[in-house]
Amino acid sequence: MILLYFFYGLAFEGLGLAAYLQLRREGDFPLKKELPWLASFGIVGGVAGWVDMFLTSGTLAEISSILSIVRIIVHLLTGLLLLRFGWGMLNNLNPLPAWSIFIPGILIVPIAFVITYAVTTFITPSPIEIPIEIWTRYLLYMPGSFLAGIGFLRQWYAQRKLGLYDVSNLMLGAGLAFLFEAVVMGLIVPAAPYGPASYYNYDRVIHNAFSGESIEVSEQYGLTAWLDYQSVLDTTGIPIEIWRLLSAVIVTYFVVKALDVFEAIRKRQVRALQEDRDRAQWEAFEAQILARQTTENWTNALINISRRIAELEHVDDILVYIVDTVHQLLRTSFVGVAIQNQENSSLELKCYSNSRSIHLVANVSVAVTNPLIQDVMRSSNSYLSQGSEAVEMFDGICFFTNELARAAVIVPLKLENTNIGALWIARFEDDPFSETDMIWLESMADQVTIAIQHGLMTSQLQSLSIVQERGRIAREMHDGLAQVLGYLNLQTQTLGSLLKQGKVEKLQDELTQMRQAIQTAHADVRENILSLRTTLAQEKGLDAAAEEYLTEFGIQMGIKTKFAFQVEGDLNLSSVAEVQLVCILQEALTNIRKHAQALEVKVSIRKENHGGGDHIHMQVMDDGIGFRAAGTKRNFGLQTMRERAESVGGQLNIKSGNGKGTSIECLLPCLQPERLQKQSVVLH
Amino acid sequence: MNVREWALPVYTILMQLAVGAFAILWLIRYLAGSKFSVQEIDRIISNPILVIAFTAVVAMGGAHFHLSKPFHSYLAVLNFKSSWLSREIVFSLLFFMSTMSVLYLTYFQTHCRSLITGLGWLAIMFGSVLIYCMARIYLIPTQVAWNSPTVVLSFYTTTLLLGIMAIACLMVLDLKFSEIKKENDVELRTQVLRNSMGGLTILTVALVALNIAITFIQIRLLAQGDLTARTSLSLLVELYLPLFVMRMVILVYASISLAVSVVRMYRLQTTPQGLMSPVYLSCLLILVGEIIGRFLFYATHIRVGL
């Protein structure tokens, strides 16, 4: 028996020590919060076992009364620590379901009755340590072990759900071990003259409170016959101490193994967390790349659109390009642009793109009557579908298709605080658009508005140019041809008079002057015709147009011309700049014809790099009489040439001197070719 | 008292708890009805009514263990005209049925507010008569210690004391449950409980004081009585003195502990959720104190002891 108590104490001390060592380890695994209670329970429980050993051996008989008091205290303390550990196991590792809050409320009445019953047993004649031990076991050991057992069994269930079967088996073992301990440590108590262990059995006593007599009753009920030490020995042939030793060893074995498992779980969780972190970092990195790529795509698209607008492309072509870009970048099933008609009476489809192709709607009127689009037109606020809309709401959003949209974004086209139309996108799949998609679409709507605005301005400019050109031609005719014709009219009258007077020599002189005047007028007219034709024929390319003009000029004016075009690839000049360059060349050649008396003209066009950017450099050089450069400010033709160059961001330099010929150098900035290159790669 | 005789305290204590809890709950409903919607109040008192009905069932079931022929218990009602026991059983049934009716209506016919209110007051009336019948059983001339009006008074004070603690405990638990479930009536429950706890605590302290006073009046009456009465008294102050002292200490400690917690809640402006542990502990202690009191009530008169 002494050995039994020794090993019983040793088992619990081992349990306490193992828990304490685990507690000193770093880390935060589920059982760690409960380890102080488990370690304390093990150490104090071991002490309780060894106190029993000393009491049984009788070796410390002189202090047996003190040992008995110590035994009561350590048993109470062990029970309390076990109860606290059990509660923590049940409640703290995995939160209990909400309804479990009512369990203490439901149990309050039975608990109160049990406590009261326990209290009343202290006034019976049995020694005080008997009820203390009985109620320590009933009220502390049994619920503590039971709660710990249920806590481990909950862990068993949780680990099984995670598929960790090796861990769950250990949890099952620990749970069953604590339930076994609840029986042998908590339910089996010493015999006493009251229930439930013994009351209905051999020790039943009826106490007469008036006479103080006790009557023993031998009536057996049988249901609780195994609940005291003697009954256990009679029934199993094994004393309760061996059962308790067995329970202590089993509990220690499974709990110590479980402690290692919790550590293994912690390491596994740390590993999983690291993997999750790595995965999250990689995903964030990929998302960053994607976001950067998307931003770059959109930026390039916007630059490309701006370039097309700057190059005065037709607004319809720009709209087609925008719709195509939106279609590709936002992965839409349908893109539509609608503009208010001229009477502002209805919204009409202007351009659309479906999954197959892009179409401009011309010559027919397709009214857009969808209520969502109309709402956007009225409110001027963008609309993003939330996924909760009825499918019918999207009826009339996608044209020339039988499929219905399931997600859509609609943004207004605002021109000077007035809604002139709407741009919208839709998807047939159940794949909603994001707020970011809406922001991108709004930026595209701005581009559409700018394109339309530019189209209107270009149209106005063209009308203005025609008026100005007509005025210029009128002025030219008035200053040139009309003057010559007026002069010829006067000369014919003079010739008539001279003929009547018979002054033949004088007549011959007048005729010579008239021929010279006619030749000058003829040259002006031919040059004007040439310059009009060249300016209008810009689609053939600057180099071809300039060379053709220079050749014609040389033939007509009898001046030797040389043309050198030293540009490889595209000029990368905006169309406006190309026109201005041709006009400057024409103006320079006109000046040469009229004033320079030159025999030879050299024109060169080449690409140069100035200040980190490409420029087109044109030089027109003649070997004429030249002029004094100081007086050039008042020269209208030169001033026009300078203004033309500066209007497209360029500059004009004139070098001349009397008898030294004239050199006019024009420098115009190119558009950046690499951006154009990248944009075409991304979009196609 | 042997184990079988514990059925008596089980029945009387649980039935008093049920009647007291219902009365206090209805008082709270009446008072809160002036500040909040009655429909909302009915929703938050439905769970406590369920627990009260369950308690009444357990009490009546437990009482059967005291009978030698439990299956013939229905015959007890036949002596209604002459027996307080029969009247007790009849009014127990009436209280139970009216409580069940209120429970059904609050769960399934919430619109019948007038009917619910009327049935509630009827249940309280049946419960009050039941407590009177319960106490009158013990007013027997041959049992000198019991034959006093103080017994009737002490039964009523115990009824209210247990009822207050049970309702406070149930409402705190119900509030905590609603909070965990994130239900939308947490604020309402909090306000009702906060408004009620002050009054409930004052009532608890007053009833504990009254209970102690009645006990000492009973002791004085026993001391002035005949030999039988003095013998009962000697049992109380000698053999059962530890239990008697323990009961007094428990009742005083529980009421003061509750009062301190509630005053702290009001002073620090904290929520009533923090009262869960103090209210539960006070409820448990007062329940233990009253069960010890009932044990002493029976033990000092029954010859069969432990």
Side-chain angles (χ1 to χ4, degrees), chain A residues 509-619:
Chain A
D509 289 343
E510 292 298 329
L511 279 173
T512 304
Q513 286 178 21
M514 282 176 68
R515 192 178 300 118
Q516 283 175 348
I518 288 167
Q519 281 174 351
T520 304
H522 185 228
D524 283 348
V525 170
R526 286 177 64 185
E527 189 188 72
N528 279 337
I529 291 167
L530 176 63
S531 56
L532 283 171
R533 202 176 65 211
T534 306
T535 308
L536 295 172
Q538 58 180 292
E539 65 273 8
K540 67 173 66 169
L542 177 72
D543 54 337
E547 189 169 11
E548 185 183 317
Y549 183 81
L550 204 59
T551 309
E552 283 285 319
F553 176 83
I555 294 168
Q556 287 181 14
M557 307 306 162
I559 298 173
K560 189 178 176 185
T561 59
K562 283 185 180 176
F563 181 62
F565 188 78
Q566 297 161 343
V567 178
E568 288 182 5
D570 199 355
L571 277 174
N572 289 340
L573 278 178
S574 68
S575 54
V576 177
E578 282 188 24
V579 170
Q580 298 292 19
L581 196 69
V582 171
C583 289
I584 290 167
L585 176 63
Q586 288 172 348
E587 191 72 39
L589 292 175
T590 302
N591 286 339
I592 290 168
R593 177 182 64 78
K594 284 183 175 174
H595 312 295
Q597 300 173 26
L599 298 174
E600 185 178 48
V601 178
K602 290 178 185 173
V603 177
S604 68
I605 296 175
R606 61 178 180 274
K607 192 177 271 187
E608 291 180 355
N609 192 290
H610 290 273
D614 284 343
H615 287 71
I616 294 297
H617 177 267
M618 182 178 76
Q619 187 175 33

Side-chain angles (χ1 to χ4, degrees), chain A residues 102 104 109 119 123 199 206-207, chain B residues 2 14 240 243 280 303 305-306:
Chain A
F102 289 114
V109 173
V119 167
I123 56 168
Y199 187 71
I206 294 176
H207 181 75
Chain B
N2 61 32
L14 287 187
Y240 295 117
L243 292 181
Y280 188 82
R303 292 181 181 184
L306 290 172

